Amino acid sequence: MFEVAERIQNLPPYLFAEIDRLKAEVAKKGLDIIDLGVGDPDIPTPKEIIEVAKTAVEDSSNHQYPSYVGMFEFRESCANWYKTRFNVDIEPNDEVVSLIGSKEGIAHLPLAFVNPGDFVLVPAPGYPVYPVATMFAGGNSYIMPLEEKNSFLPDIDKIPEDILKKTKIMFINYPNNPTAATADEGFYKKIIELAKKYNFIIASDNAYSEIYYGDYKPMSFLEVDGAKDVGVEFHSLSKTFDMTGWRIGFALGNKDVVAGLGKVKTNIDSGIFQAIQVAGKYALDNSETLNKPIRKIFQERRDQMATALEKAGFEFKTPKATFYFWVKVPKGFTSAEFTKKMLEEKGIVVTPGNGFGAPGEGYFRISITNPRIKEAVERIKSAL
Ligand SMILES: *Cc1c(COP(=O)(O)O)cnc(C)c1O
């Protein structure tokens, strides 16, 4: 037997394993299951993107090792897209790095900037990659709880000064997974000021900027004055174009941060298959046309889900962005107890809030990435 390294032994238990076990048990009893647990869109990638990729796959000039930082043409499209979408100026040469999905970049960032003993500010509930990547780099996570009374924004005045002095990176993520909260310019201004004062990097995870509803349109952290002095933004084609399986994303902003991340990547991976970059470039260049129908589908599902949850008497805010609902667990239940009940009695899989970190206790997350939303909605209406 080979003993795994401490960094693996120290990983938090895989919370979804218990859900998977329960799911199998319930399925065995013959109950039909609708999975609203995973945040992976069921909608296929737009056909035009697939066609561009097919042609690019056949082109032998795409068959060799790609450039580590990404094809210039792809990085240029990332920069152009930030200009048209957010009016942010980005230099494609040294302010963009392509990523094998933004998860890859998020996971590698601490390796570039965190020394043992350094702190990383991590939101919870939140994407588990932030604390795990911090631990892998030998750093310590300082948990910033996201609480309803603060609109699920971290209360930065609560972070102790001795932690701030040892902080290298702050992770933030708006529109937020799992709470669906959004951030405005005032919040970004505050954290930029803090980052300048204590000399740390802001890593803004903007994976959901193109999944928005009604009149609301999310902003980029990089739109705010001074953002590029202190940080980068991670973006992903996964949610924007239903391309989760393709593994393509990018980081852009501060060039020292981009260079640091690039350095780690040069020593670990060899970039994204060029045919996928060609398809990604096409997607970004035609973003509005390709993203609009996707948004429309999620908007319909969001409206149906909001109506159903309201009818059933659940406590929640209708999301302005993301494909998640962050819902209060009814009185008398823990998150785990209630999600178990939903599964056993209604055949509906939802994610217990504490799976995203202890401050998520008391909530559950619904993901509307399932085509059977109408049936799910019927079952949820009778859940309480
Ligand atoms: C989906 C998601 C990502 C992006 O993942 P990819 O690796 O780009 O597919 C990043 N952050 C959050 C919070 C997410 O939910």
Side-chain angles (χ1 to χ4, degrees):
M1 269 301 277
F2 299 108
E3 201 178 345
V4 295
E6 278 162 23
R7 70 177 68 83
I8 301 298
Q9 291 176 29
N10 290 342
L11 284 172
Y14 183 57
L15 213 119
F16 296 88
E18 173 65 8
I19 300 176
D20 287 345
R21 195 189 59 76
L22 265 177
K23 215 173 127 177
E25 214 171 82
V26 170
K28 229 196 266 164
K29 285 186 197 147
L31 189 60
D32 171 50
I33 290 173
I34 303 180
D35 196 333
L36 305 180
V38 290
D40 186 359
D42 55 294
I43 309 162
T45 305
K47 281 207 171 57
E48 301 94 308
I49 299 176
I50 295 169
E51 289 307 317
V52 172
K54 278 186 188 167
T55 312
V57 167
E58 294 199 353
D59 179 350
S60 64
S61 72
N62 290 327
H63 293 177
Q64 290 175 287
Y65 283 124
S67 117
Y68 292 111
V69 292
M71 294 167 80
F72 179 77
E73 293 82 355
F74 175 70
R75 286 179 290 133
E76 190 179 43
S77 285
C78 298
N80 289 343
W81 184 69
Y82 256 67
K83 184 66 186 172
T84 47
R85 171 66 175 87
F86 300 113
N87 197 24
V88 170
D89 290 300
I90 294 289
E91 175 51 60
N93 267 319
D94 56 4
E95 292 180 340
V96 191
V97 58
S98 70
L99 300 171
I100 311 170
S102 58
K103 181 180 187 177
E104 178 261 301
I106 291 166
H108 283 145
L109 182 69
L111 284 184
F113 293 98
V114 172
N115 283 316
D118 288 344
F119 274 81
V120 175
L121 308 178
V122 167
Y127 196 45
V129 184
Y130 314 138
V132 169
T134 300
M135 192 257 281
F136 280 0
N140 306 309
S141 290
Y142 177 85
I143 300 296
M144 304 183 291
L146 306 184
E147 295 170 317
E148 193 152 8
K149 65 172 198 279
N150 300 318
S151 311
F152 299 110
L153 297 169
D155 184 354
I156 58 170
D157 300 329
K158 286 243 172 82
I159 308 168
E161 177 145 37
D162 60 320
I163 299 288
L164 288 168
K165 283 180 177 161
K166 289 183 272 184
T167 294
K168 287 303 287 284
I169 303 172
M170 171 193 235
F171 280 108
I172 47 152
N173 164 225
Y174 296 100
N176 182 256
N177 173 13
T179 68
T182 56
D184 61 12
E185 186 168 2
F187 170 71
Y188 290 130
K189 275 193 169 142
K190 265 177 84 172
I191 59 168
I192 290 167
E193 203 177 295
L194 196 72
K196 284 193 170 165
K197 184 169 174 195
Y198 293 100
N199 194 33
F200 61 76
I201 296 164
I202 294 176
S204 164
D205 178 358
N206 207 358
Y208 294 95
S209 73
E210 305 315 299
I211 307 295
Y212 56 85
Y213 309 111
D215 299 332
Y216 181 74
K217 203 165 179 177
M219 66 182 294
S220 160
F221 150 77
L222 293 173
E223 285 175 50
V224 182
D225 281 346
K228 219 201 268 183
D229 300 335
V230 293
V232 289
E233 190 150 84
F234 287 91
H235 196 85
S236 168
L237 280 71
S238 289
K239 319 289 160 62
T240 306
F241 304 111
D242 293 326
M243 291 176 77
T244 47
W246 296 61
R247 312 312 304 137
I248 182 163
F250 53 93
L252 34 66
N254 185 280
K255 64 171 186 290
D256 299 333
V257 180
V258 166
L261 185 53
K263 198 96 185 186
V264 173
K265 286 174 58 58
T266 306
N267 288 282
I268 290 183
D269 66 64
S270 300
I272 312 163
F273 180 27
Q274 284 203 7
I276 291 177
Q277 295 190 56
V278 171
K281 174 184 166 54
Y282 176 85
L284 288 170
D285 291 349
N286 297 277
S287 169
E288 186 51 28
T289 344
L290 295 169
N291 175 246
K292 212 174 178 177
I294 295 170
R295 262 194 338 258
K296 190 161 169 277
I297 294 171
F298 285 124
Q299 169 102 45
E300 279 169 19
R301 291 180 183 179
R302 181 203 73 151
D303 295 346
Q304 289 170 348
M305 184 59 74
T307 310
L309 290 173
E310 209 168 297
K311 274 203 180 127
F314 282 104
E315 218 181 299
F316 69 102
K317 275 215 174 68
T318 303
K320 289 192 283 184
T322 77
F323 35 60
Y324 304 116
F325 282 75
W326 188 240
V327 188
K328 271 249 173 75
V329 166
K331 281 211 168 55
F333 292 94
T334 63
S335 291
E337 284 163 0
F338 187 71
T339 52
K340 188 164 180 250
K341 177 181 151 80
M342 285 283 272
L343 179 55
E344 285 176 343
E345 292 175 14
K346 302 288 167 192
I348 299 270
V349 179
V350 292
T351 312
N354 59 319
F356 301 98
E361 177 55 47
Y363 295 86
F364 66 96
R365 189 191 76 174
I366 295 176
S367 172
I368 52 172
T369 52
N370 189 307
R372 297 173 65 195
I373 212 82
K374 277 209 174 113
E375 292 166 76
V377 151
E378 284 312 313
R379 296 189 200 176
I380 286 172
K381 272 191 213 159
S382 60
L384 283 186

